[in-house]
Amino acid sequence: MSESTMQPWLREILRCPACRSELRDEQGAITGLFGISRDITVRKRMEQALRESESRYRMVARATRDVLWDWNLTRGEVRWSTSLGEVFGEVPERGQASVSWWKERIHPEDRERELHAIPQAMEGTSDSWTNEYRFRRADGAYAFVLERGYIGRDLSGRPERLIGTMMDVSERKRLEEEKAQETRLIERFMGIVGHDLGSPLAAIRISSQTLQLAANLTPGQRASLGRIEDSTRRVSHLMRQLLDGVRARGGGIPVQPAPTDLAQVCLRVLDEF
């Protein structure tokens, strides 16, 4: 009979280990038996719950590419998920995955900030923290890491366990840097274009204003000069808008939508023809 097919009361009995012995007389003959049994049902249930928790932890570790780590502050032990090798190309030997092993692989420029962030979170009232730093891969290159951590405290509020994840965000950082470089390049281009076009446009606008002061102009000539002045003003405004759009795309300035009279815009465009 297997344990799974037993009645619940019988399984509970079998979970009560017993110490048994015989009673013998002076000639060595057995005259009786005695034993002591102890109910370990609660312990067995706790062990089962622990096994289920460990199983869930392993499943989560396999389901994500994030590196999971568990730091027992009491024993000074750190456990890493198996994705450590997949993400960073290195799996420390058993007994070598210490806190020192982790510290050594943080970029020197980020190490002090990262090592200060965790104690600061532990001393505060928050139970979590988030930080970014560079972590050395097995090939010597550094990966940008987004770290999220949780602090487990005892009943008195003292930290006793840290659990965290390390997400490789190197690709996101690369795309952000490419976008920033593109924005800087466009800004320089727009600055050059704006300067090169600004001077001729200003000259045209001033000349148009000067010509409009002549007394012998026909109504048609005066209207044409007015359109020239208005066009140069709108081109200058368009150049400023394009430059502002580039800066806004890169997060340099906030975008503030405003109402626009489309009918007036269309009339100004038609007036050009």
Side-chain angles (χ1 to χ4, degrees):
M1 177 185 299
S2 63
E3 185 175 346
S4 61
T5 60
M6 295 180 184
Q7 293 296 323
W9 62 269
L10 181 55
R11 289 200 299 270
E12 300 300 325
I13 291 176
L14 293 178
R15 287 174 179 170
C16 298
C19 298
R20 303 181 182 87
S21 185
E22 302 89 3
L23 296 176
R24 298 178 183 271
D25 58 18
E26 295 178 353
Q27 286 74 34
I30 297 177
T31 59
L33 299 172
F34 74 91
I36 301 174
S37 296
R38 180 164 54 93
D39 187 354
I40 59 171
T41 303
V42 174
R43 192 192 76 184
K44 287 292 185 179
R45 289 173 178 170
M46 293 178 62
E47 290 176 352
Q48 178 63 26
L50 180 60
R51 284 193 296 270
E52 293 176 355
S53 177
E54 292 288 341
S55 176
R56 285 193 296 269
Y57 176 85
R58 288 191 295 270
M59 291 177 65
V60 170
R62 287 195 297 266
T64 177
R65 278 187 54 83
D66 295 356
V67 176
L68 279 66
W69 54 265
D70 187 345
W71 184 355
N72 188 307
L73 298 175
T74 304
R75 297 195 297 266
E77 298 175 354
V78 182
R79 296 175 56 191
W80 298 86
S81 64
T82 55
S83 56
L84 179 64
E86 299 175 8
V87 177
F88 300 115
E90 183 175 6
V91 179
E93 298 293 334
R94 182 177 296 276
Q96 296 182 1
S98 62
V99 177
S100 299
W101 179 89
W102 167 72
K103 290 180 179 179
E104 291 172 357
R105 282 154 180 78
I106 300 176
H107 194 284
E109 296 178 0
D110 303 336
R111 187 175 298 146
E112 182 178 355
R113 174 172 51 82
E114 166 63 12
L115 298 183
H116 178 70
I118 295 179
Q120 186 177 32
M122 293 168 58
E123 294 171 1
T125 57
S126 176
D127 289 333
S128 62
W129 79 91
T130 302
N131 198 17
E132 287 192 12
Y133 57 90
R134 287 164 289 181
F135 191 80
R136 191 175 72 238
R137 295 190 178 103
D139 60 3
Y142 282 91
F144 284 92
V145 167
L146 172 62
E147 179 183 73
R148 295 186 180 94
Y150 175 79
I151 304 172
R153 304 178 185 271
D154 58 20
L155 295 178
S156 64
R158 185 183 65 176
E160 60 181 4
R161 186 179 182 185
L162 303 179
I163 299 176
T165 63
M166 297 170 62
M167 178 188 297
D168 187 350
V169 294
S170 301
E171 182 64 16
R172 190 198 74 187
K173 285 289 187 179
R174 184 186 65 79
L175 294 175
E176 289 177 353
E177 180 58 27
E178 288 183 355
K179 181 179 179 181
Q181 291 180 357
E182 179 185 354
T183 300
R184 290 192 295 267
L185 180 62
I186 295 176
E187 283 185 1
R188 288 186 58 189
F189 173 76
M190 294 300 298
I192 294 173
V193 172
H195 179 270
D196 291 346
L197 288 179
S199 297
L201 287 172
I204 294 172
R205 186 170 60 253
I206 293 173
S207 299
S208 174
Q209 292 172 347
T210 303
L211 289 173
Q212 289 183 67
L213 297 176
N216 57 346
L217 294 176
T218 64
Q221 292 172 334
R222 193 174 300 280
S224 297
L225 290 172
R227 285 196 296 270
I228 292 174
E229 180 184 354
D230 185 57
S231 296
T232 56
R233 185 179 295 107
R234 285 193 285 111
V235 171
S236 298
H237 181 65
L238 177 61
M239 294 300 301
R240 289 194 299 271
Q241 285 183 320
L242 288 173
L243 185 57
D244 288 345
V246 172
R247 292 172 178 168
R249 181 187 176 195
I253 59 174
V255 178
Q256 297 179 347
T260 301
D261 190 341
L262 293 179
Q264 291 297 324
V265 173
C266 293
L267 289 175
R268 284 200 301 268
V269 172
L270 292 173
D271 193 44
E272 294 293 325
F273 297 96

